[in-house]
Amino acid sequence: MKKKFISAIATILGLSLIVSMFIPTSTKADSNLLLASVEWVQAQLNPLQTKVNTLEKQLADQEAMIKQLQKAVAEGGNVVVTPPTPTVPDISTGTTSVVYTTGSSVKVHSGASSDYKVLATFGADKALTVVDQFKASTGVWYRVEVSATVKGWVFSGDITTTKPTSYIPTNVIAKQAVNVRKGATTNYQSLELVAKGSTLKYLGSFKNASGETWYNVQTAKGTKGWVLSTLTEVK
């Protein structure tokens, strides 16, 4: 009985050895798949790591401030804590801000890094509306409106909130439904009513006797007329 058992075990081991000789333990396709998976995971982790680094820095700043206050309380005095200088532009209130390009070839990327695809390139003094911001390891990036349907990211070092003295608007945006009038007062008849968010071509401006500033514009239909500045925004 013992001999039969040993013989059976030997047979099983022999068959296992033969099978293992014909079954590859790994293939090139498996290796490529594994490599691609690793690269995908790294691509997902990189933005998260950037956010973690940002949060860690903010936490360190807060801890330093707390220690400063604790020391002041222990010594029975007071301490003046200087708040961090806000980044420019400050859009923490949720409202949009307009910035202007400062270089001759400012690139707007699809993501908050120069490694991302370039969506548009602008010359100096181009006005852009900021809708969001992100603090990356390379610095602060702002999400701006490239067009009505396209948004991208521009580096803070390439923009400014100071309107250039030589800046000439190209567009006028209606902040609400606006009448395009025949002249620069509300006494003139309306030539066309444009909807909120409409983009009008800027032709010029005029301050009337009442001190109101009006913009001379051209609508998408080709109508030329005047709109009140307080109801619109130039870009």
Side-chain angles (χ1 to χ4, degrees), residues 6 11 15 26 36 41 45 47-48 53 56 58 61 70 77 82-83 88 118 129 133 153 159 170-171 201 216-217:
I6 293 174
T11 302
L15 290 172
S26 177
V41 171
L45 289 177
L48 293 177
N53 292 339
E56 286 178 345
Q58 292 175 348
D61 292 341
Q70 288 174 336
T82 304
V88 179
V118 175
T129 298
Q133 67 184 42
W153 294 85
I159 57 174
T170 55
N171 295 317
K201 183 179 180 180
N216 189 205
V217 298

Side-chain angles (χ1 to χ4, degrees), residues 214-232:
W214 287 71
Y215 298 132
N216 189 205
V217 298
Q218 181 175 341
T219 70
K221 294 180 180 179
T223 304
K224 293 183 179 180
W226 296 85
V227 292
L228 186 59
S229 62
T230 56
L231 305 179
T232 57

Side-chain angles (χ1 to χ4, degrees), residues 5-232:
F5 177 74
I6 293 174
S7 177
I9 294 297
T11 302
I12 293 172
L13 291 174
L15 290 172
S16 299
L17 179 61
I18 293 172
V19 170
S20 65
M21 292 173 63
F22 292 94
I23 298 178
T25 57
S26 177
T27 65
K28 186 175 180 181
D30 293 333
S31 299
N32 291 339
L33 179 60
L34 178 60
L35 181 59
S37 300
V38 171
E39 291 177 347
W40 181 87
V41 171
Q42 289 176 338
Q44 303 305 310
L45 289 177
N46 286 340
L48 293 177
Q49 185 60 48
T50 299
K51 292 183 178 180
V52 169
N53 292 339
T54 301
L55 291 174
E56 286 178 345
K57 185 178 183 305
Q58 292 175 348
L59 181 60
D61 292 341
Q62 291 176 355
E63 288 178 347
M65 187 178 297
I66 291 172
K67 288 180 179 179
Q68 222 177 346
L69 293 172
Q70 288 174 336
K71 181 180 178 182
V73 172
E75 295 175 352
N78 52 44
V79 63
V80 177
V81 179
T82 304
T85 304
T87 55
V88 179
D90 180 11
I91 60 170
S92 57
T93 57
T95 58
T96 59
S97 299
V98 176
V99 296
Y100 306 90
T101 55
T102 57
S104 59
S105 181
V106 176
K107 293 178 174 56
V108 179
H109 299 266
S110 59
S113 167
S114 57
D115 295 329
Y116 284 90
K117 176 184 177 183
V118 175
L119 299 178
T121 302
F122 297 110
D125 302 339
K126 170 66 177 178
L128 298 169
T129 298
V130 178
V131 296
D132 199 0
Q133 67 184 42
F134 175 71
K135 189 173 183 181
S137 58
T138 55
V140 181
W141 289 74
Y142 296 104
R143 192 172 186 228
V144 297
E145 293 181 350
V146 177
S147 67
T149 57
V150 179
K151 294 179 177 63
W153 294 85
V154 62
F155 185 56
S156 57
D158 294 329
I159 57 174
T160 179
T161 54
T162 303
K163 182 182 291 188
T165 54
S166 59
Y167 174 70
I168 299 177
T170 55
N171 295 317
V172 176
I173 310 299
K175 295 192 289 188
Q176 62 183 62
V178 177
N179 284 300
V180 180
R181 298 185 181 276
K182 190 173 183 179
T185 71
T186 54
N187 295 327
Y188 285 93
Q189 72 180 73
S190 174
L191 301 175
E192 185 180 336
L193 178 66
V194 296
K196 176 181 178 180
S198 297
T199 299
L200 312 171
K201 183 179 180 180
Y202 177 88
L203 301 177
S205 63
F206 174 75
K207 182 176 286 189
N208 62 21
S210 300
E212 298 173 330
T213 299
W214 287 71
Y215 298 132
N216 189 205
V217 298
Q218 181 175 341
T219 70
K221 294 180 180 179
T223 304
K224 293 183 179 180
W226 296 85
V227 292
L228 186 59
S229 62
T230 56
L231 305 179
T232 57

